[in-house]
Amino acid sequence: MTQRTIAALVAVPLLLALFAVAVFTPLPYATYAPGLTVDVLGTTEDDGKGSGDGETETEETGEVEIIQVDGHEVYRDEGQLRMTTVFVSLPGAEKTLPELIGAWFDEDRAVYPYDAVHDEDETVEESRRTGAIDMVSSQDQAVAVALEELGYQVTPAVMAAYIEKDTPAQGVLEVGDLFLRVNGTAVSTPDQMAELVAATPEGDPVEIDLLRDGEKRTVMLLPEQVDGQARVGVTLGTGYRFPFEVSVNIDAQIGGPSAGLMFSLAIYDALTPGALTGGKSVAGTGTISADGEVGPIGGIQQKIAGARRDGADLFLVPEDNCADALGAEAGDMRLVRATTMHEARLAIEAYAEDPDAKLPSCED
């Protein structure tokens, strides 16, 4: 046997081993892919929890309307307002080389450095928790913006944004509870309420007056001590007291704040006669602030791809995402720049009246 043959016999297994390592070793990258789109004017499966006396259920399917209203007339009309989502690879789920190559050559997917998408030590549970809190906050913000667009006044309040498992709050408090008083002291900000709870002497209960589904309640909780401070296990946020009940039933697996704009438009549509979209399918994305401004989101190109796939006629793009949006394949779908909820509403109304109307554009 020659030296060349021996070298080949030794090299081939080494090359195969190196190839296997290269193929199956996780790499520090994350991927984005087009997610599902949801018509917020439509229905969703009934989770059995209900959402107040005004819940509307369709007898044929057992589904409930996504936009629920109690105390105001509701107008169910034609057309669609579709929120868009992105499938993001989970924390800790770094991708292999073949997966990254496949995503790289798919024009509707994207590859990013892992640390540009997830924190270094972020867990799946932490990611879902953050998404759930952002979703609850965005829904309340959207209701407030929509009602103010209709001329109503809303009052900010301290809200339960997330209930942690295995804590005193679990089973007693609910997401969406609005807090009025803690041990007899009126609360107006999340920080104030947190300070009042933290100051509770060890072994003493906390008395909390709250508003749930429009009804006042008083609950008692025995805080647990963490680092010398009393805590009950609730994450606080800013909610609102509304003149009537409005809620959004959306799949709990969908998280994040990026549907705020579409929620606000759908709520406005449900509370006004006629179809805002003129029977068309309008998709979009964007966070919503208390003053109605539309904020940027991640994965704009993948959201446009998902809306294109699901047959949307028009897509609302946050102004700060316009540059990236112009690089997406939109097909026949019109891209409209959205700066505020008010301007987005006017653009949809103009489009419903005349699909060829001049609308705010990312190219302007």
Side-chain angles (χ1 to χ4, degrees):
M1 185 178 294
T2 66
Q3 287 186 333
R4 186 183 296 274
T5 302
I6 293 173
L9 291 173
V10 172
V12 169
L14 287 175
L15 288 173
L16 290 174
L18 288 173
F19 177 76
V21 169
V23 168
F24 296 109
T25 298
L27 298 174
Y29 292 90
T31 58
Y32 278 14
L36 53 82
T37 71
V38 179
D39 176 19
V40 191
L41 296 176
T43 61
T44 187
E45 291 185 7
D46 186 359
D47 61 7
K49 295 179 181 179
S51 58
D53 294 336
E55 182 171 276
T56 304
E57 181 171 328
T58 60
E59 296 181 0
E60 296 84 358
T61 64
E63 295 189 337
V64 295
E65 302 285 351
I66 292 177
I67 302 300
Q68 294 286 329
V69 180
D70 185 14
H72 189 284
E73 188 171 359
V74 181
Y75 305 90
R76 307 292 184 186
D77 301 303
E78 296 297 321
Q80 298 180 351
L81 285 167
R82 305 193 75 87
M83 61 172 281
T84 52
T85 66
V86 174
F87 289 131
V88 183
S89 52
L90 294 173
E94 295 176 328
K95 296 297 184 177
T96 61
L97 184 59
E99 291 174 312
L100 293 173
I101 291 175
W104 184 266
F105 284 101
D106 185 339
E107 64 178 11
D108 289 336
R109 298 171 67 191
V111 177
Y112 295 97
Y114 182 86
D115 58 8
V117 179
H118 301 295
D119 293 334
E120 182 179 355
D121 299 323
E122 183 181 1
T123 65
V124 173
E125 181 60 30
E126 288 170 341
S127 177
R128 289 174 176 166
R129 179 180 183 275
T130 300
I133 293 171
D134 288 343
M135 175 59 80
V136 169
S137 298
S138 73
Q139 290 176 4
D140 249 42
Q141 200 85 282
V143 176
V145 169
L147 293 187
E148 288 181 332
E149 183 76 1
L150 288 165
Y152 291 100
Q153 288 195 347
V154 298
T155 305
V158 182
M159 178 184 67
Y162 188 83
I163 308 298
E164 298 177 21
K165 296 180 180 178
D166 303 320
T167 64
Q170 186 176 17
V172 180
L173 300 179
E174 294 183 4
V175 170
D177 283 348
L178 298 179
F179 300 115
L180 308 176
R181 295 178 181 78
V182 174
N183 291 331
T185 300
V187 292
S188 57
T189 68
D191 286 345
Q192 180 195 15
M193 179 168 174
E195 290 171 1
L196 288 170
V197 172
T200 304
E202 185 174 0
D204 286 358
V206 174
E207 180 179 84
I208 300 176
D209 296 323
L210 58 86
L211 196 66
R212 180 184 299 166
D213 297 330
E215 296 182 0
K216 292 184 178 180
R217 304 183 182 207
T218 299
V219 300
M220 303 291 289
L221 294 172
L222 184 61
E224 57 186 5
Q225 295 293 318
V226 178
D227 297 329
Q229 289 189 327
R231 65 187 295 276
V232 296
V234 57
T235 299
L236 302 174
T238 299
Y240 299 88
R241 297 182 67 172
F242 301 123
F244 48 87
E245 293 297 310
V246 182
S247 62
V248 181
N249 284 328
I250 205 71
D251 190 333
Q253 299 301 311
I254 301 175
S258 65
L261 171 61
M262 301 311 291
F263 287 153
S264 65
L265 291 167
I267 293 163
Y268 178 92
D269 191 9
L271 295 173
T272 53
L276 176 63
T277 68
K280 303 290 186 180
S281 176
V282 175
T285 186
T287 63
I288 199 76
S289 65
D291 59 2
E293 288 193 2
V294 179
I297 52 80
I300 185 65
Q301 294 187 351
Q302 289 69 49
K303 291 184 175 182
I304 289 173
R308 182 196 72 222
R309 176 200 63 211
D310 291 348
D313 302 301
L314 179 147
F315 191 98
L316 299 171
V317 180
E319 185 173 28
D320 289 344
N321 289 120
C322 271
D324 288 336
L326 291 175
E329 176 53 57
D332 295 331
M333 185 171 61
R334 290 188 66 176
L335 301 183
V336 174
R337 186 183 73 248
T339 305
T340 66
M341 181 271 189
H342 176 73
E343 292 179 1
R345 175 178 72 82
L346 295 180
I348 294 173
E349 290 176 343
Y351 178 75
E353 185 174 342
D354 177 10
D356 296 321
K358 180 174 174 55
L359 304 175
S361 170
C362 282
E363 296 178 343
D364 293 345

PDB file of all heavy atoms in Angstrom, residues 141 145 148-149 261 264 287-295 339-343:
ATOM      1  N   GLN A 141     -53.927  49.923  24.641  1.00  0.00           N
ATOM      2  CA  GLN A 141     -53.551  51.164  23.958  1.00  0.00           C
ATOM      3  C   GLN A 141     -54.392  51.369  22.699  1.00  0.00           C
ATOM      4  O   GLN A 141     -54.831  52.478  22.391  1.00  0.00           O
ATOM      5  CB  GLN A 141     -52.067  51.104  23.593  1.00  0.00           C
ATOM      6  CG  GLN A 141     -51.429  52.436  23.325  1.00  0.00           C
ATOM      7  CD  GLN A 141     -50.945  53.118  24.587  1.00  0.00           C
ATOM      8  OE1 GLN A 141     -51.740  53.688  25.339  1.00  0.00           O
ATOM      9  NE2 GLN A 141     -49.651  53.062  24.824  1.00  0.00           N
ATOM     10  N   VAL A 145     -56.856  54.512  21.770  1.00  0.00           N
ATOM     11  CA  VAL A 145     -56.663  55.341  20.576  1.00  0.00           C
ATOM     12  C   VAL A 145     -57.926  55.345  19.718  1.00  0.00           C
ATOM     13  O   VAL A 145     -58.349  56.391  19.205  1.00  0.00           O
ATOM     14  CB  VAL A 145     -55.452  54.845  19.771  1.00  0.00           C
ATOM     15  CG1 VAL A 145     -55.388  55.512  18.404  1.00  0.00           C
ATOM     16  CG2 VAL A 145     -54.165  55.111  20.548  1.00  0.00           C
ATOM     17  N   GLU A 148     -60.649  57.467  21.391  1.00  0.00           N
ATOM     18  CA  GLU A 148     -60.334  58.890  21.282  1.00  0.00           C
ATOM     19  C   GLU A 148     -60.549  59.388  19.853  1.00  0.00           C
ATOM     20  O   GLU A 148     -60.960  60.525  19.638  1.00  0.00           O
ATOM     21  CB  GLU A 148     -58.900  59.145  21.738  1.00  0.00           C
ATOM     22  CG  GLU A 148     -58.738  58.999  23.249  1.00  0.00           C
ATOM     23  CD  GLU A 148     -57.322  59.261  23.725  1.00  0.00           C
ATOM     24  OE1 GLU A 148     -56.377  59.037  22.919  1.00  0.00           O
ATOM     25  OE2 GLU A 148     -57.152  59.666  24.886  1.00  0.00           O
ATOM     26  N   GLU A 149     -60.293  58.531  18.861  1.00  0.00           N
ATOM     27  CA  GLU A 149     -60.563  58.886  17.468  1.00  0.00           C
ATOM     28  C   GLU A 149     -62.058  59.123  17.258  1.00  0.00           C
ATOM     29  O   GLU A 149     -62.459  59.930  16.413  1.00  0.00           O
ATOM     30  CB  GLU A 149     -60.074  57.760  16.550  1.00  0.00           C
ATOM     31  CG  GLU A 149     -60.218  58.030  15.065  1.00  0.00           C
ATOM     32  CD  GLU A 149     -59.163  58.987  14.519  1.00  0.00           C
ATOM     33  OE1 GLU A 149     -58.290  59.440  15.299  1.00  0.00           O
ATOM     34  OE2 GLU A 149     -59.217  59.304  13.311  1.00  0.00           O
ATOM     35  N   LEU A 261     -51.680  49.004  15.723  1.00  0.00           N
ATOM     36  CA  LEU A 261     -52.355  49.795  14.698  1.00  0.00           C
ATOM     37  C   LEU A 261     -53.583  49.081  14.163  1.00  0.00           C
ATOM     38  O   LEU A 261     -54.667  49.668  14.055  1.00  0.00           O
ATOM     39  CB  LEU A 261     -51.396  50.109  13.553  1.00  0.00           C
ATOM     40  CG  LEU A 261     -52.028  50.754  12.314  1.00  0.00           C
ATOM     41  CD1 LEU A 261     -52.655  52.098  12.655  1.00  0.00           C
ATOM     42  CD2 LEU A 261     -51.017  50.890  11.187  1.00  0.00           C
ATOM     43  N   SER A 264     -56.479  48.980  16.625  1.00  0.00           N
ATOM     44  CA  SER A 264     -57.178  50.263  16.762  1.00  0.00           C
ATOM     45  C   SER A 264     -58.106  50.515  15.576  1.00  0.00           C
ATOM     46  O   SER A 264     -59.235  50.999  15.749  1.00  0.00           O
ATOM     47  CB  SER A 264     -56.170  51.407  16.914  1.00  0.00           C
ATOM     48  OG  SER A 264     -55.392  51.578  15.744  1.00  0.00           O
ATOM     49  N   THR A 287     -46.723  49.335  15.941  1.00  0.00           N
ATOM     50  CA  THR A 287     -47.124  49.596  17.315  1.00  0.00           C
ATOM     51  C   THR A 287     -47.962  50.864  17.343  1.00  0.00           C
ATOM     52  O   THR A 287     -47.970  51.646  16.387  1.00  0.00           O
ATOM     53  CB  THR A 287     -45.901  49.773  18.220  1.00  0.00           C
ATOM     54  OG1 THR A 287     -45.158  50.930  17.784  1.00  0.00           O
ATOM     55  CG2 THR A 287     -44.995  48.546  18.149  1.00  0.00           C
ATOM     56  N   ILE A 288     -48.671  51.071  18.445  1.00  0.00           N
ATOM     57  CA  ILE A 288     -49.485  52.278  18.580  1.00  0.00           C
ATOM     58  C   ILE A 288     -49.178  52.916  19.929  1.00  0.00           C
ATOM     59  O   ILE A 288     -49.120  52.228  20.946  1.00  0.00           O
ATOM     60  CB  ILE A 288     -50.993  51.972  18.432  1.00  0.00           C
ATOM     61  CG1 ILE A 288     -51.800  53.227  18.105  1.00  0.00           C
ATOM     62  CG2 ILE A 288     -51.543  51.265  19.632  1.00  0.00           C
ATOM     63  CD1 ILE A 288     -51.679  53.674  16.694  1.00  0.00           C
ATOM     64  N   SER A 289     -48.938  54.219  19.923  1.00  0.00           N
ATOM     65  CA  SER A 289     -48.653  54.921  21.179  1.00  0.00           C
ATOM     66  C   SER A 289     -49.917  55.598  21.676  1.00  0.00           C
ATOM     67  O   SER A 289     -50.939  55.638  20.987  1.00  0.00           O
ATOM     68  CB  SER A 289     -47.548  55.955  20.961  1.00  0.00           C
ATOM     69  OG  SER A 289     -47.991  56.974  20.082  1.00  0.00           O
ATOM     70  N   ALA A 290     -49.833  56.162  22.876  1.00  0.00           N
ATOM     71  CA  ALA A 290     -51.014  56.772  23.482  1.00  0.00           C
ATOM     72  C   ALA A 290     -51.559  57.926  22.651  1.00  0.00           C
ATOM     73  O   ALA A 290     -52.760  58.203  22.676  1.00  0.00           O
ATOM     74  CB  ALA A 290     -50.676  57.259  24.889  1.00  0.00           C
ATOM     75  N   ASP A 291     -50.686  58.606  21.899  1.00  0.00           N
ATOM     76  CA  ASP A 291     -51.159  59.718  21.075  1.00  0.00           C
ATOM     77  C   ASP A 291     -51.480  59.301  19.647  1.00  0.00           C
ATOM     78  O   ASP A 291     -51.688  60.148  18.771  1.00  0.00           O
ATOM     79  CB  ASP A 291     -50.131  60.852  21.064  1.00  0.00           C
ATOM     80  CG  ASP A 291     -48.778  60.431  20.527  1.00  0.00           C
ATOM     81  OD1 ASP A 291     -48.637  59.258  20.115  1.00  0.00           O
ATOM     82  OD2 ASP A 291     -47.852  61.264  20.521  1.00  0.00           O
ATOM     83  N   GLY A 292     -51.513  57.984  19.397  1.00  0.00           N
ATOM     84  CA  GLY A 292     -51.927  57.495  18.087  1.00  0.00           C
ATOM     85  C   GLY A 292     -50.812  57.357  17.076  1.00  0.00           C
ATOM     86  O   GLY A 292     -51.072  56.995  15.921  1.00  0.00           O
ATOM     87  N   GLU A 293     -49.561  57.616  17.465  1.00  0.00           N
ATOM     88  CA  GLU A 293     -48.454  57.475  16.523  1.00  0.00           C
ATOM     89  C   GLU A 293     -48.141  55.998  16.270  1.00  0.00           C
ATOM     90  O   GLU A 293     -48.210  55.173  17.175  1.00  0.00           O
ATOM     91  CB  GLU A 293     -47.205  58.190  17.046  1.00  0.00           C
ATOM     92  CG  GLU A 293     -47.308  59.696  16.991  1.00  0.00           C
ATOM     93  CD  GLU A 293     -45.967  60.369  17.198  1.00  0.00           C
ATOM     94  OE1 GLU A 293     -44.951  59.644  17.345  1.00  0.00           O
ATOM     95  OE2 GLU A 293     -45.932  61.604  17.218  1.00  0.00           O
ATOM     96  N   VAL A 294     -47.787  55.682  15.022  1.00  0.00           N
ATOM     97  CA  VAL A 294     -47.459  54.311  14.633  1.00  0.00           C
ATOM     98  C   VAL A 294     -45.947  54.126  14.722  1.00  0.00           C
ATOM     99  O   VAL A 294     -45.182  54.888  14.131  1.00  0.00           O
ATOM    100  CB  VAL A 294     -47.937  54.031  13.197  1.00  0.00           C
ATOM    101  CG1 VAL A 294     -47.570  52.614  12.778  1.00  0.00           C
ATOM    102  CG2 VAL A 294     -49.441  54.240  13.097  1.00  0.00           C
ATOM    103  N   GLY A 295     -45.523  53.103  15.463  1.00  0.00           N
ATOM    104  CA  GLY A 295     -44.105  52.852  15.668  1.00  0.00           C
ATOM    105  C   GLY A 295     -43.598  51.686  14.841  1.00  0.00           C
ATOM    106  O   GLY A 295     -44.372  50.859  14.360  1.00  0.00           O
ATOM    107  N   THR A 339     -48.274  56.861   9.485  1.00  0.00           N
ATOM    108  CA  THR A 339     -47.592  57.670  10.498  1.00  0.00           C
ATOM    109  C   THR A 339     -48.386  57.721  11.798  1.00  0.00           C
ATOM    110  O   THR A 339     -47.819  57.639  12.880  1.00  0.00           O
ATOM    111  CB  THR A 339     -47.376  59.107   9.982  1.00  0.00           C
ATOM    112  OG1 THR A 339     -46.670  59.048   8.740  1.00  0.00           O
ATOM    113  CG2 THR A 339     -46.579  59.933  10.972  1.00  0.00           C
ATOM    114  N   THR A 340     -49.709  57.860  11.674  1.00  0.00           N
ATOM    115  CA  THR A 340     -50.604  57.839  12.837  1.00  0.00           C
ATOM    116  C   THR A 340     -51.819  56.989  12.497  1.00  0.00           C
ATOM    117  O   THR A 340     -52.114  56.729  11.320  1.00  0.00           O
ATOM    118  CB  THR A 340     -51.087  59.255  13.210  1.00  0.00           C
ATOM    119  OG1 THR A 340     -51.911  59.773  12.155  1.00  0.00           O
ATOM    120  CG2 THR A 340     -49.907  60.188  13.447  1.00  0.00           C
ATOM    121  N   MET A 341     -52.554  56.582  13.530  1.00  0.00           N
ATOM    122  CA  MET A 341     -53.778  55.827  13.302  1.00  0.00           C
ATOM    123  C   MET A 341     -54.764  56.666  12.513  1.00  0.00           C
ATOM    124  O   MET A 341     -55.451  56.173  11.614  1.00  0.00           O
ATOM    125  CB  MET A 341     -54.382  55.407  14.644  1.00  0.00           C
ATOM    126  CG  MET A 341     -55.669  54.592  14.542  1.00  0.00           C
ATOM    127  SD  MET A 341     -57.150  55.651  14.504  1.00  0.00           S
ATOM    128  CE  MET A 341     -58.449  54.453  14.644  1.00  0.00           C
ATOM    129  N   HIS A 342     -54.848  57.969  12.826  1.00  0.00           N
ATOM    130  CA  HIS A 342     -55.782  58.855  12.133  1.00  0.00           C
ATOM    131  C   HIS A 342     -55.472  58.911  10.637  1.00  0.00           C
ATOM    132  O   HIS A 342     -56.367  58.775   9.796  1.00  0.00           O
ATOM    133  CB  HIS A 342     -55.711  60.257  12.743  1.00  0.00           C
ATOM    134  CG  HIS A 342     -56.569  61.271  12.048  1.00  0.00           C
ATOM    135  ND1 HIS A 342     -57.939  61.282  12.155  1.00  0.00           N
ATOM    136  CD2 HIS A 342     -56.242  62.288  11.205  1.00  0.00           C
ATOM    137  CE1 HIS A 342     -58.437  62.272  11.435  1.00  0.00           C
ATOM    138  NE2 HIS A 342     -57.425  62.896  10.840  1.00  0.00           N
ATOM    139  N   GLU A 343     -54.197  59.087  10.294  1.00  0.00           N
ATOM    140  CA  GLU A 343     -53.820  59.156   8.884  1.00  0.00           C
ATOM    141  C   GLU A 343     -54.032  57.815   8.192  1.00  0.00           C
ATOM    142  O   GLU A 343     -54.426  57.769   7.017  1.00  0.00           O
ATOM    143  CB  GLU A 343     -52.366  59.612   8.766  1.00  0.00           C
ATOM    144  CG  GLU A 343     -52.167  61.060   9.192  1.00  0.00           C
ATOM    145  CD  GLU A 343     -50.717  61.500   9.092  1.00  0.00           C
ATOM    146  OE1 GLU A 343     -49.869  60.677   8.673  1.00  0.00           O
ATOM    147  OE2 GLU A 343     -50.427  62.657   9.433  1.00  0.00           O
TER     148      GLU A 343
END
